[in-house]
Amino acid sequence: MANIRERADTEDLAEEDPAVAQSRDEPAVFVVEPLFPQRLRRPSDALRFLATLLALAAVILLSLVAKQTLYGLEQDVLTGAGFAPEFLTRIATFLGGAAVLGVPAAFAVERVFHRDGLRVAEGLIAAIIAMLASYLVGEWVRSPAGPQDLGRLLTGGRDLEPLNTLLTSVIAYATAVRISRRPTWRALMWTVIALFLLSLFSGRAITIPSALVTVLFGMAMGYATLYGVGSPNTRPPGNAVVTALRRLAFKPVAARRIEDDHQGSRRYAVGLKGGGSLDVTVLDRDQQVAGLPYRLWRRIWLSSETRRRAIRSLRAELEREALMAYAAQAAGASTPRLLATSEIGTEAALLAYEHLDARPLDLLDDEEITDELLLRIWRQVRLLQRQRLAHRRLTGDSIQVDADGEVILTDARSGEIAAGDLLLRIDVAQLLTYLGLRVGAERSVKAAREIMGEASLAAAIPLLQKIALTRDTRSALAKNKQLLTELRDQIVVLKPQAAVEEVRLERFRPRTLITIIATALAAYIVLPQLSQVDVGHVVTTANWGWGALALGAAFVSFVAAALVIMGFVPARLGFWRTLLVQFASSFVKLVAPAAVGAVAINTRYLQKSGVPPTLALASVGASQLIGLVFHIALLLFFAYVTGTSTATSFTPSRGLLLVLLSVAVLIVIVLGVPPLRRLVTTRTRSLFTNVLPRLLDVLQSPRKMLEGFGGTLLLTIAFVSCLDACVRAFGGDMNFAAVAVVFLAANAIGSAAPTPGGLGAVEGALIAGLRVAGLEVDVATSAVLLYRLLTFWLPVLPGWAAFTYLQRNAAL
């Protein structure tokens, strides 16, 4: 494999002279391709600009937080500089001030002598933009309407420039002329900048935050200029590709550029003397960072075994594709034969493949995809998997079919050698899904079963999730959302007793980020209210008899929850174990929203108790449905009672009327808009097909009715009693019905909140409701904190013990 040399400075690529080619009896080849643009906006410049802005924001935030630390560090620097001899300090000041302009000027002269004056012009443009921008930002920071804290941070309270205009311009210039690619000049430039900063510190003309912000701001302006005006196009044109092929002993007579591949690499169809032809892939260095944000996100988001390197050098990319191509050939798979690799100048490399006449599967009509063709596709995948090769892009553009109906796999660059089981299973899931989109789930699974076997299909079930599939396949699934479910059902029919373990590909889910943000907002709302409460005074004056009653009511809520599950499940469940499960669910609430954790752990418990999965989901769904009905009915009842028995300062009956009207309008809108109506009917169809039959079973058993319905009512009453006792423990006096309305409304908000256990949302809603009811802020806040302590935080420790015990005994 030809060596790809790295060089710092980019030179124009030498193009082949047609006269020289003629002298070697090699005819000049006219390459059919679009005209190359003179300048390109490189993705790498945009990414560097964004990275610099992020670093700038981080420096400002850290500086604002650690003001005292920075002040102490600055004093240490000034003290250290004071020990230096005055003679040396003056020399450093002179050299720094003179050289900070002299070095950029010398570099400009050197570039002009090398006929690279355009680069110098770009640097001067960046310097001018940086000078103006730094001046405007400095004036804004120092103005009365500007950020005063930031201004004091950058100037240290002295009459200084927030951003050093000269230094900003110099750094923007050095960045725009890409001086970092020249090691000698780079070292000299940063030495000069360090001396200049030292002279500024010695003269107390700059602060540490200002120095850091100035450097980063200058770099950001340099990268922004580079991306804005573009960089000279150094990609080798088509005739350079032809020249490289001739060095590899090929004799091209025609060449044309064809459609680029999915990773942005150029592709050429090259005709050879004697009638043969090549498919040439050209890897451009400037394209190596294309799509980097998406790859970085996937690398952070997915587990380590499935992620790919976000950044790979040109050499590494070339070696990866070549190695995968050779490995696929050795495995006996039908892939285009890799004939040669080579460098093209210093900015690109090529891979020359044998040309095979074939059509991508995407271009075949569905009628052309026969059962025999499906079997041939799976046979090629089996050949790869026997040698532990993962293709990782089994889509319609990488699966091709020749005139004889033989299958050819292309796009080897995405693959992995010595792949683990997970990647091989993902390949099976990906191909199952893609073929299912084309021919349906039944035919896709049937063909896979015949070649790969039932065990391989069963192992792919947990990987039939969108996150495991390619981007194009995920987009196609938006039009066929039921396909993954249909594929799983087809596999289960073939192998119903398959042991399937869940595979978690995501390190975290997007919902986790929402939860973190929502928790932060909740803390922002709740903490100011806590600051208004004298906790010590409240605790010393509390009536802890009512506190003991609240604790008892909190325990009764777990008993009620256990009765609810026992009532809606046809199987006979042990009371104490079911009670432990409810305590365990309180532990799970720490990491899951309130409406999710209890459902998940109860469903898991029922499955481990021998209840079939469908029946377990239906039973838990039935309990949730009845809980919702009771919740609404009790809210209406207590709201009516409250509206007729309390002062006009708290009249939920009026609000109730508004809520009912709003709900009626919402129902009319949903039923009147066809897309919304279809969405609702689709989501609720499973409820009426699974949950309602379970409710009918409960209605036929008086004991189950008593447990299920009685437990649901007892659960709500226990929570309301707990909150009422907490209010009375701190001297509050409210009607029980009013407390019930506050609790039911806040509980609905907490169930909808994405935070663990409704954290923040429940507290805020309860405090607001109690204050509207007439309680003072200190009493309302203290009562809510005690209520949440008893019902949310205190059960965590016994919940963890119950969770561990149940897992050890295979009950979860």
Side-chain angles (χ1 to χ4, degrees), residues 101-117 119-121 124 173 177 179 185:
L101 293 176
V103 171
F107 183 81
V109 172
E110 190 261 352
R111 283 292 87 198
V112 169
F113 273 114
H114 283 82
R115 299 182 180 181
D116 197 11
R119 181 181 302 188
V120 177
L124 292 176
Y173 169 87
V177 298
I179 204 171
W185 284 101

Side-chain angles (χ1 to χ4, degrees), residues 554-670:
F555 177 78
V556 171
S557 68
F558 289 97
V559 175
L563 292 175
V564 170
I565 296 300
M566 294 171 62
F568 286 99
V569 178
R572 189 174 183 83
L573 301 175
F575 171 76
W576 292 108
R577 176 160 288 195
T578 308
L579 181 63
L580 287 178
V581 171
Q582 306 317 305
F583 274 100
S585 68
S586 66
F587 170 68
V588 176
K589 286 180 183 178
L590 282 177
V591 293
V596 176
V599 173
I601 199 168
N602 280 312
T603 303
R604 180 71 172 173
Y605 165 62
L606 295 180
Q607 291 178 1
K608 286 290 187 176
S609 299
V611 180
T614 304
L615 186 56
L617 286 171
S619 300
V620 176
S623 68
Q624 293 292 310
L625 178 61
I626 294 301
L628 176 63
V629 171
F630 269 72
H631 192 102
I632 295 174
L634 289 172
L635 180 60
L636 296 175
F637 172 75
F638 284 118
Y640 173 77
V641 172
T642 302
T644 58
S645 60
T646 62
T648 56
S649 61
F650 183 60
T651 57
S653 56
R654 296 179 182 177
L656 176 63
L657 179 60
L658 180 60
V659 171
L660 291 177
L661 291 175
S662 301
V663 171
V665 172
L666 180 61
I667 293 174
V668 171
I669 293 175
V670 170

Side-chain angles (χ1 to χ4, degrees), residues 35-80:
L35 289 175
F36 270 37
Q38 293 295 317
R39 305 183 71 81
L40 293 173
R41 286 189 173 91
R42 299 178 184 271
S44 57
D45 293 331
L47 291 173
R48 290 188 178 100
F49 171 69
L50 293 176
T52 307
L53 288 184
L54 290 175
L56 184 60
V59 166
I60 293 175
L61 289 175
L62 290 175
S63 299
L64 289 172
V65 172
K67 292 180 183 179
Q68 297 301 323
T69 302
L70 284 175
Y71 176 77
L73 180 61
E74 187 172 336
Q75 293 302 314
D76 292 341
V77 172
L78 292 174
T79 302

Side-chain angles (χ1 to χ4, degrees), residues 327-328 330-332 381-390 416-419 424:
V381 174
R382 183 177 62 180
L383 289 173
L384 293 180
Q385 299 219 344
R386 283 178 175 175
Q387 298 300 318
R388 311 296 296 181
L389 301 178
E416 295 278 356
I417 65 169
L424 300 181

